[in-house]
Structures are given as structure tokens and as C-alpha cells.
Amino acid sequence: KERAFCLQLFNKVLNVEIKMDDIKRVIRLGKQSESKKRPMLVELRSRVLKNQVMESLRGLRNAEEPYRGLVICHDMTKLEREECKRLVATAKEREAKEGQGEWIFRVRGAPDRLTIVKLAVRK
């Protein structure tokens, strides 16, 4: 059931060609409950496929239900999450100091290689 949902999401909504055997495993996380939605961990066979999925996430904006409310993110360890939060706080500080409305600072990259990048503001 979850595999079929993921396949439909990847192929039809995100337009990334993924076959059933490209999905290594799908696991529901957390305790089962009627009132809560539980996260799902999807492990793909190659990093290339994962990168294609992550790059095409803007397709979720215009998706119909049940895909519209989905949040897809990297699976990170506790240390990686803490490092990401620290980098985001640093980026916000730099934006407040140096931004002046011309530049924004964002955290980009894979969980093991996060960096702060300086981007020009779109007008």
C-alpha cells in the first residue's frame, strides 16, 4: 500500500522515473494512532534517484490531494539536525547584518555537507 503510494507520488506527481525495485524499503515510523499522521521512511537504491526526487519537490505545490500536504525531507541523525539548526541561525544572523534587502542567506546541500550560501534577492 505504501509502496504503491510512493510510486504514484514519484512517477505521476514529481515526474521522476522510479520502478518498484528502485525502492529498497518503506517503513512507517512512530506508534500507530487514529488521530496522528505518521511519517514514512522511504529508502531508495541509489543516491541519484534520491537527488532527482529532492530536486523535483516543487511539483508538490500544484499537486492534488492527497499529495498536497506532504512534507519530504532528508533523513538526518540528531547531530545532523542540530548542525542544521545552528547553520540556519547563523544564516539568519548574517542576513540581518549583511542582507540590507539585497542578499539572503540560506542553508543548502546534503545533510552531511550543509553550507551557507549567499543569494541575490529576486525582485
Side-chain angles (χ1 to χ4, degrees), residues 49-84:
L49 289 173
K50 176 192 168 194
N51 289 339
Q52 288 177 347
V53 168
M54 298 307 277
E55 288 169 3
S56 63
L57 290 179
R58 65 181 133 345
L60 285 175
R61 285 187 198 143
N62 304 321
E64 67 272 354
E65 291 297 326
Y67 305 107
R68 180 168 290 160
L70 289 180
V71 176
I72 298 177
C73 58
H74 295 282
D75 183 29
M76 295 161 55
T77 65
K78 191 171 186 176
L79 284 174
E80 288 170 336
R81 287 193 302 270
E82 289 170 359
E83 175 67 9
C84 183

Side-chain angles (χ1 to χ4, degrees), residues 11-22:
N11 290 313
K12 294 206 169 52
V13 178
L14 301 179
N15 296 319
V16 178
E17 284 292 319
I18 293 184
K19 298 177 211 69
M20 187 66 85
D21 59 331
D22 290 331

